[in-house]
Amino acid sequence: FPYEKGILFHSFQKLFYYKDGVISQISNENEFHFSFLVEDQFFVREQRKGLCVLDGRSVDLVKDGELFADKEIVSLLPLSKNLILIATALDGLFLYDGTQITPWDNDLSQRFKRDQVFTGLSVGNSKFAFGTVRNGVYIINKDGQIIKNINSEKGLQNNTVLSLFLDQKENLWVG
C-alpha cells in the first residue's frame, strides 16, 4: 500500500515499511490476517486480538476492535468522511466511526451472512461492490440498499466471486 510517502506491506508475522531506500519492520506475536488502507489509516486484523490500526511503530487495537478477534474481516471501505464500513465473511456488516464499532443491522447484512462475503471495493463515491462465495456480486449504495445482484442466474459462470477490480474507466471486473 502507498503509505506516508513510502510503501507498506505485510506478511502473516510482520509489517514492512519501505521509504527512502530503507525497510523497517514491525513484528507481532499473533498472526496478521487481511490489511486495509482507508483514507490515510492502515488497518490490519490480528488473529485472536481483533481490528488494529498502525500508529507510528506499533499496531494498536481500535476501540471495540476485539469484536473481530475471531471474525474474518474481508473489507474495510469508507462509507463517509468519518464512517468506515466493515464487511466480514460470515458475520455481516459493521460500522466504525473512530470511537466505536456497531453492527449494521439491515437486510443486506443478514443476506451477507448467508452468502459469505469474500471481497469488496468502492465503486465511485456512492456505491460498493461485494463478491460472495454463494451468490455472485452485489452492487449496493451507501444506505445499504441493493442496486444489483449479478449471479449465475444472470450470466456469471458460477456464484463464487473471489476478486473484484475497477479499471480506470470504472468497469468492474469479476474473478
Side-chain angles (χ1 to χ4, degrees):
F1 297 96
Y3 182 75
E4 294 184 0
K5 299 181 182 177
I7 299 172
L8 187 63
F9 54 100
H10 87 278
S11 68
F12 289 121
Q13 300 299 326
K14 297 178 182 181
L15 294 177
F16 298 92
Y17 180 59
Y18 175 79
K19 183 177 177 182
D20 299 327
V22 177
I23 296 176
S24 56
Q25 54 184 303
I26 300 169
S27 298
N28 213 43
E29 58 190 54
N30 295 317
E31 198 170 278
F32 291 125
H33 197 236
F34 290 129
S35 59
F36 312 92
L37 187 63
V38 180
E39 304 301 329
D40 61 347
Q41 289 189 298
F42 182 80
F43 295 90
V44 65
R45 180 183 160 261
E46 189 177 325
Q47 292 190 21
R48 295 180 300 281
K49 187 173 181 182
L51 180 61
C52 300
V53 65
L54 180 62
D55 184 17
R57 299 265 315 136
S58 66
V59 177
D60 301 325
L61 193 65
V62 302
K63 176 107 170 59
D64 297 332
E66 65 277 358
L67 177 66
F68 300 104
D70 297 315
K71 291 177 175 47
E72 183 180 356
I73 298 172
V74 295
S75 188
L76 261 71
L77 300 167
L79 194 59
S80 66
K81 184 171 172 44
N82 298 314
L83 197 60
I84 295 173
L85 175 60
I86 301 170
T88 63
L90 297 169
D91 297 288
L93 300 169
F94 297 81
L95 301 172
Y96 176 58
D97 66 5
T99 59
Q100 67 178 359
I101 295 171
T102 55
W104 199 16
D105 287 325
N106 57 24
D107 292 337
L108 180 65
S109 189
Q110 295 306 312
R111 188 178 289 216
F112 278 4
K113 288 178 185 180
R114 180 192 71 217
D115 292 342
Q116 190 175 350
V117 176
F118 195 86
T119 187
L121 57 73
S122 295
V123 179
N125 293 323
S126 61
K127 294 181 270 190
F128 302 105
F130 289 96
T132 69
V133 173
R134 298 186 180 116
N135 200 19
V137 177
Y138 286 89
I139 308 296
I140 69 163
N141 65 20
K142 288 193 172 198
D143 295 323
Q145 298 168 324
I146 298 169
I147 296 170
K148 191 175 282 190
N149 176 217
I150 306 164
N151 56 27
S152 61
E153 293 175 5
K154 295 181 181 152
L156 286 183
Q157 286 184 333
N158 66 57
N159 283 328
T160 301
V161 175
L162 304 179
S163 62
L164 297 169
F165 176 76
L166 199 64
D167 69 20
Q168 292 178 341
K169 294 182 180 180
E170 292 200 357
N171 295 304
L172 182 63
W173 293 79
V174 176

